[in-house]
Amino acid sequence: MANSRSALRRVAWLVVLLLGFVSCAARDADPYRLLDITRGATDSDIKKSYRKLSLKYHPDKQQGKAADEVEKAANKFMSIQKAYETLSDPEKKRNYDMTGFADPRDAYRSSPGGRGGQQQRRGPGSAGRGGWDSDTAGFPGAGGRFGGFGFPQADPITSETQELTPKNFEKLVLNSNKAWLIQVYHDASEKCQRAAPVWDQTARTLDGSAKLGRVNMATYPDLAAKVAPQHRFSSSAVSPKDLPVVIGFDKECAAFSCKRRYRGFMRETALSNYVLDRMLKYKQVPEYTRDTLPMFLESEPSKVKFVVFLSRSSAPQPLLRRAATEYEREVAFAVVHHKRVDASHWLKKFGVRAHSAVMVIKEDGKKIVEHDVTGKGKLREVLIEHKLPILPQLHAESLKSTGCQPGGLVQVCLVVLGVQGWALEDAKKMLRDAKLSLDSAAASPSDPLVAALGENKELAFAWIDAASQGAFCRALLYDNRDDAASCGRATMEPRIAVMRFRNGPDSMEYGGYEGAMSATEILSWVSKIFAGKGQRLILVDRDAPNYPELKARVPGSMDYVKRIRMTVGASAYDLGEEFMYALAESGPILPFFVALLAVFASTFFPSKPKPKPRRDVKRNPADDDVMIEYDDEALASLKENSSEMVVMMFVDGKSTSQTVFKRVRASFWREPILSFGTVNIARPGPWADFARSIGALPGSVIVWHAHRKKFKNIGAGDGSVPHPLVCSKIEIILDGAVKWDEAAWPEQTIADSTD
C-alpha cells in the first residue's frame, strides 16, 4: 500500500514537472529581463540598453577569453539580438505583453493541445467544451451548451475599455460631451476575440480624444439591439454572425437616432482615422518635403510655424491633429517625413539631426528645435511651451492659453491696445522687443521680471484689437475718458495698459501707461507695478460695470451656413451608406430595380452640361530667381498702368542684398495687383533725387499707389527688417488701412534721356 502511494506521488511530481517544463519552454524568453530593463521602459531606454549589452557581448570583444566564456557570450549576444527584435517592433512587443509570445501562433505550435499535438486550435475560453470551430458547436441545431445567439459558452473577453450597461449607458454616452466608439460583441465569437487586442490598441492610440466602450450582446440583448440594429431602417438586432459591430456617437449625439455605424476593417489605423476624420472632424496635418517646406514657412507670416519631423512609417499623433484644429488661428502645423537621403539637408538648413524632432518658428523668424520628441507627453510639453506667438492676440478663446485672467499663475499682464495700422504694428514690435530683451542672455538674472517671465510664468505680454474689443478697451482705459472714447476708432493711438491679478479669481487691478513709448521705460514701469509700487491701479470686481470683459467671437452667417452644409453632407453620406447596405441585405430584386431606375433617370430628366469657365493661371514669379530691375522704359510704362500697385526696392548696384525682398515677392505671388522690381539709385537721375528727398537708403522698399500720386515707405528688404514684418505691412496696405504719403511719380526728362 505504501509502495503504491509512493509510486503515485512520484507520478504526480513527474506530471507537475513536465507541465512546468512545457509551460516554460512554450513561452518566449523574457526580452525585458534579457535587456535588463523594466516593462515601462521607453524606446530610447530600450535602444540604449541594447547598444550597451551588444557592445559588451559582441564576439569581437571576446578575444583572448576561454572557449566556454566565448560560447556563453555568443549565446547571450544572440539572445540580446532576438530580445531587441521583439521590443523594437511595436506589434511584436504588444503581442508579447499580451500573450507571452512575439508571434501568437507560437502558442499553438508549442502547446500540447496545439497543432503540433495534432489537435484543432481553439480560442480563449473554448478548451474542454468544444469551440465555435468544432463539429458540436456553432449555431442553433448543433450540439453542446450555448451562451445565447447560437454561440457556445466561453470565457469573457477582457478589455481596457468601458463596459456599458443599460444603467450607465445614458449617463456615460448620451449625456456626455465626448465622442464614443462602441463595440457590440459576444464572448464566444471568434471575430470578436481576434478584434480584442485591436480594440484596446485603438483606445491607447486615441489617448482620450474619444472614449471607447463595449456592449455584451449576450448579457444585454435589448441594449445591443438599440445600439446596433441590422441597419438604420430596421428594428431588429444585428445578426450574430456579423459581430463585432462598431457604432459611433458624436459629441453632440444625445439619442440613439444620431448614431452612425462603422463599416470598415477592424484595424487600429482604420478605426482611429474614422474617429478623427468622421466623428471629431480634426484637421489633417499637411505633409511637406524639402522642396515644398520653404513655401509653407513663407506663408501666413503672423502665425507660429510648428513642423514635426517623423520617421518614414509614422503617422501624426491624434494630439497633433487636435492641436492643429484648436489652435488654427495662431499656429500653422506641418509634418515632414525625415528620410535618410535628406538628412544632411535638414541638418545644414535647420539643425535637425534626426526624426522625432520638432521645429518651431516664431513670427519674428526665431527658430527653436527640440529633439527626441518621442512620446505624447513630450509633444504636449513642446506644444504648451511654444504654441503661442511672442506677442499673442488676446481674445476670449486665448484667455486660458495666455493666462491673462484672474485665478491663474500669471500675476501681471502687459497689453497694447489699438486698431490695425502702422502705429499698432510699431507698438507691437516695441512690446515684442521688450519681451525678447528679458529672454536674452544679456538680461540681468537678478531682474525680477526675468524670473517672472521665464521660470515662474507670472508675467505675460499680449495685444488687443480695439476695433473688435471696444468694450474691453473702454473698460481698461476707464480712468482716461478721452482715451476710452477713442477705442475702436481709426484715429486711435496705441495705448499700453497693465492688468494685475492678486485679489482672487473674481477681481483684478488695471491701469494705463502715460509715459514715453520706449521699451526701457515701459519695462521700468512694469517692474514697479509687479513689485506693488509706483502707479496706483484701479481695483474692480467681476460684477462691476467697468470690469474688463472680452467679447466672445460670435459666429457669422457664413459660419452657420458652413456648419449646416457639413452636417447635412455628413448626414446624407451616412443615410446613403445605410441605404446601400439595406439594399444589399434585402436580396437581388430591389437593388436591380434601383439600378434600372438610375440608368433610365437621365432619359426622363435630361440636362445640358454647363461649360466650365476657363481661367488663366498666373505664373508664379517666385520661380524666377532673378529679380526684375526696372529701367527707364519699364518705369515709364508702369506710370501709365494704373491697375497695379508697384512694390519696388531701391538698390545700389549689385551690392544690395535682395534675399528678403525675393521672399516677400514669393509670399504675394498670387496677388494680381502687385508688381515687384528693383530700381538702381546709384545712377544719377530723378529716382536717385527722389530717394534722397524722402531719406530712403539702398534697401528701402516703396509701395506706390495705383494712381502713382501716393507712396508708402514700408522699411527695408535687404534683411535689416524681418520678412514677416514687411509682409504684414503689405497686407495692411491691401486691406486699405494705411495713410499714404503724397508725391508724384518721378519722370525722366528729355534732357536726361538725351544725355
Side-chain angles (χ1 to χ4, degrees):
M1 188 71 175
N3 293 335
S4 62
R5 289 179 180 176
S6 177
L8 286 174
R9 277 198 294 267
R10 291 193 186 97
V11 171
W13 278 111
L14 182 61
V15 169
V16 170
L17 289 175
L18 286 174
L19 290 175
F21 173 77
V22 168
S23 62
C24 293
R27 286 184 176 270
D28 292 344
D30 187 355
Y32 295 99
R33 182 180 58 80
L34 290 171
L35 294 181
D36 195 20
I37 55 176
T38 62
R39 283 185 176 267
T42 62
D43 293 342
S44 59
D45 294 336
I46 295 172
K47 185 179 294 185
K48 186 185 301 183
S49 179
Y50 163 70
R51 290 177 176 175
K52 178 182 176 181
L53 294 174
S54 295
L55 185 63
K56 179 179 178 180
Y57 293 102
H58 196 278
D60 294 343
K61 297 288 185 179
Q62 314 305 318
Q63 297 180 5
K65 296 184 180 180
D68 57 341
E69 293 183 2
V70 172
E71 184 178 358
K72 289 181 180 179
N75 294 333
K76 183 72 173 180
F77 182 76
M78 294 299 294
S79 301
I80 292 169
Q81 301 296 319
K82 186 175 181 181
Y84 181 70
E85 179 184 353
T86 298
L87 297 184
S88 61
D89 187 308
E91 186 171 353
K92 290 183 179 180
K93 181 181 178 183
R94 182 174 65 251
N95 290 337
Y96 178 81
D97 291 340
M98 297 184 64
T99 65
F101 298 90
D103 186 352
R105 293 173 294 183
D106 294 341
Y108 304 110
R109 300 190 187 104
S110 303
S111 62
R115 293 177 182 175
Q118 301 299 320
Q119 292 187 19
Q120 193 172 13
R121 181 174 73 89
R122 304 185 187 277
S126 61
R129 57 177 178 271
W132 56 87
D133 53 353
S134 68
D135 295 334
T136 61
F139 293 95
R145 298 184 57 175
F146 294 92
F149 299 96
F151 287 114
Q153 291 182 351
D155 293 335
I157 302 173
T158 59
S159 175
E160 303 170 3
T161 58
Q162 177 71 44
E163 193 73 22
L164 297 171
T165 68
K167 293 183 178 181
N168 66 10
F169 190 90
E170 182 175 357
K171 178 182 178 181
L172 295 179
V173 180
L174 300 182
N175 297 335
S176 171
N177 60 351
K178 280 275 190 179
W180 277 83
L181 198 65
I182 299 173
Q183 178 192 168
V184 177
Y185 74 103
H186 194 290
D187 290 322
S189 168
E190 183 180 11
K191 293 180 181 178
C192 294
Q193 295 184 8
R194 288 202 304 263
V198 175
W199 187 253
D200 287 345
Q201 180 60 31
T202 303
R204 290 191 290 267
T205 300
L206 292 175
D207 188 32
S209 299
K211 295 284 189 179
L212 269 73
R214 303 187 308 158
V215 174
N216 193 321
M217 190 176 191
T219 309
Y220 309 110
D222 294 337
L223 179 60
K226 292 181 181 179
V227 174
Q230 191 171 2
H231 50 78
R232 187 180 292 270
F233 311 103
S234 172
S235 58
S236 58
V238 68
S239 174
K241 64 182 179 61
D242 294 332
L243 296 179
V245 173
V246 177
I247 305 296
F249 286 78
D250 295 340
K251 291 190 293 185
E252 299 83 6
C253 184
F256 289 100
S257 58
C258 57
K259 63 182 179 295
R260 58 175 69 177
R261 182 173 173 178
Y262 171 72
R263 296 283 188 175
F265 294 104
M266 287 296 290
R267 296 173 183 169
E268 179 269 321
T269 53
L271 288 167
S272 300
N273 289 334
Y274 176 78
V275 173
L276 298 176
D277 296 336
R278 297 280 300 277
M279 297 178 62
L280 298 176
K281 299 178 177 62
Y282 282 168
K283 288 190 61 177
Q284 290 284 354
V285 181
E287 297 181 7
Y288 292 90
T289 64
R290 59 177 294 178
D291 298 323
T292 58
L293 185 64
M295 186 182 301
F296 165 76
L297 298 178
E298 300 295 340
S299 64
E300 300 180 291
S302 61
K303 287 187 178 182
V304 176
K305 305 299 188 305
F306 203 94
V307 185
V308 180
F309 290 84
L310 301 176
S311 62
R312 204 170 197 176
S313 58
S314 300
Q317 297 184 20
L319 175 62
L320 190 64
R321 294 187 57 181
R322 177 181 177 182
T325 305
E326 293 182 356
Y327 307 130
E328 184 179 6
R329 295 179 61 176
E330 292 88 9
V331 187
F333 289 83
V335 166
V336 173
H337 288 287
H338 192 283
K339 301 177 182 178
R340 185 175 298 178
V341 294
D342 298 330
S344 60
H345 170 78
W346 299 125
L347 180 62
K348 182 178 179 181
K349 187 76 173 177
F350 301 111
V352 176
R353 298 192 299 268
H355 61 81
S356 300
V358 173
M359 180 178 67
V360 183
I361 299 181
K362 299 288 186 175
E363 69 269 29
D364 68 334
K366 180 182 178 182
K367 182 178 65 178
I368 303 149
V369 178
E370 297 277 356
H371 290 93
D372 297 326
V373 186
T374 53
K376 56 181 178 294
K378 181 64 175 177
L379 179 61
R380 185 180 287 109
E381 291 178 7
V382 176
L383 274 169
I384 293 174
E385 185 175 358
H386 300 300
K387 67 185 178 184
L388 291 178
I390 298 174
L391 190 68
Q393 182 180 1
L394 187 62
H395 44 78
E397 292 79 10
S398 65
L399 270 177
K400 183 178 180 180
S401 58
T402 57
C404 289
Q405 60 180 349
L409 291 177
V410 174
Q411 298 293 308
V412 175
C413 184
L414 184 66
V415 298
V416 55
L417 305 99
V419 295
Q420 294 288 353
W422 297 110
L424 179 60
E425 290 298 322
D426 293 339
K428 286 165 58 178
K429 182 179 184 303
M430 182 269 302
L431 203 60
R432 191 184 297 116
D433 293 341
K435 181 180 179 180
L436 291 175
S437 67
L438 297 176
D439 283 334
S440 65
S444 173
S446 61
D447 189 345
L449 293 184
V450 174
L453 179 65
E455 182 179 356
N456 299 332
K457 308 294 183 184
E458 296 178 345
L459 178 63
F461 291 73
W463 71 277
I464 299 173
D465 183 11
S468 60
Q469 299 290 345
F472 186 89
C473 175
R474 287 188 290 272
L476 205 59
L477 303 178
Y478 182 77
D479 56 337
N480 190 321
R481 293 189 176 183
D482 293 337
D483 291 340
S486 66
C487 284
R489 296 179 181 175
T491 57
M492 177 187 177
E493 292 293 329
R495 289 296 312 274
I496 303 293
V498 69
M499 295 178 286
R500 188 167 63 188
F501 316 109
R502 292 183 177 177
N503 298 280
D506 295 321
S507 61
M508 74 163 69
E509 299 172 279
Y510 62 84
Y513 173 69
E514 301 292 345
M517 295 293 282
S518 164
T520 306
E521 295 292 332
I522 291 175
L523 289 179
S524 175
W525 174 69
V526 174
S527 180
K528 295 177 182 178
I529 296 292
F530 192 82
K533 304 176 182 178
Q535 180 178 334
R536 183 179 178 182
L537 303 180
I538 299 175
L539 177 63
V540 60
D541 294 330
R542 188 179 294 274
D543 55 356
N546 59 331
Y547 183 86
E549 193 77 39
L550 287 168
K551 182 177 67 173
R553 179 176 176 268
V554 179
S557 58
M558 294 303 298
D559 295 325
Y560 284 116
V561 171
K562 183 178 179 181
R563 184 174 181 180
I564 291 173
R565 289 179 60 184
M566 290 180 61
T567 304
V568 171
S571 300
Y573 182 89
D574 293 336
L575 287 173
E577 184 181 55
E578 292 293 336
F579 181 69
M580 294 304 297
Y581 277 101
L583 288 179
E585 294 168 358
S586 62
I589 298 178
L590 186 58
F592 181 73
F593 174 75
V594 173
L596 285 178
L597 186 63
V599 169
F600 291 102
S602 59
T603 306
F604 299 106
F605 306 101
S607 60
K608 295 182 179 179
K610 297 182 179 179
K612 295 183 178 180
R614 297 182 59 185
R615 294 184 178 180
D616 296 331
V617 180
K618 184 177 179 181
R619 182 178 55 87
N620 183 358
D623 295 339
D624 299 331
D625 187 53
V626 180
M627 181 63 69
I628 299 174
E629 181 177 345
Y630 294 140
D631 54 15
D632 295 339
E633 184 178 354
L635 290 168
S637 176
L638 287 172
K639 181 180 183 301
E640 301 300 328
N641 184 6
S642 59
S643 62
E644 294 182 345
M645 292 185 186
V646 180
V647 184
M648 61 174 58
M649 185 177 79
F650 293 151
V651 298
D652 185 8
K654 300 294 184 181
S655 60
T656 307
S657 174
Q658 302 179 16
T659 304
V660 172
F661 191 58
K662 290 178 180 178
R663 294 172 63 190
V664 173
R665 178 189 64 176
S667 300
F668 292 95
W669 72 272
R670 291 183 181 274
E671 291 292 343
I673 63 170
L674 294 181
S675 176
F676 289 82
T678 62
V679 175
N680 189 357
I681 60 174
R683 296 179 302 182
W687 284 97
D689 297 338
F690 172 73
R692 283 193 296 270
S693 66
I694 64 173
L697 300 174
S700 299
V701 178
I702 307 296
V703 180
W704 281 94
H705 192 275
H707 295 162
R708 306 296 184 255
K709 296 180 180 179
K710 303 175 184 178
F711 76 96
K712 189 65 181 180
N713 189 343
I714 63 173
D718 57 356
S720 57
V721 176
H723 157 257
L725 184 59
V726 178
C727 290
S728 65
K729 292 185 176 182
I730 294 179
E731 288 178 349
I732 292 174
I733 291 176
L734 293 174
D735 293 338
V738 62
K739 184 178 180 181
W740 296 92
D741 296 324
E742 300 289 340
W745 180 279
E747 295 189 69
Q748 192 81 7
T749 62
I750 298 177
D752 293 335
S753 60
T754 306
D755 294 339

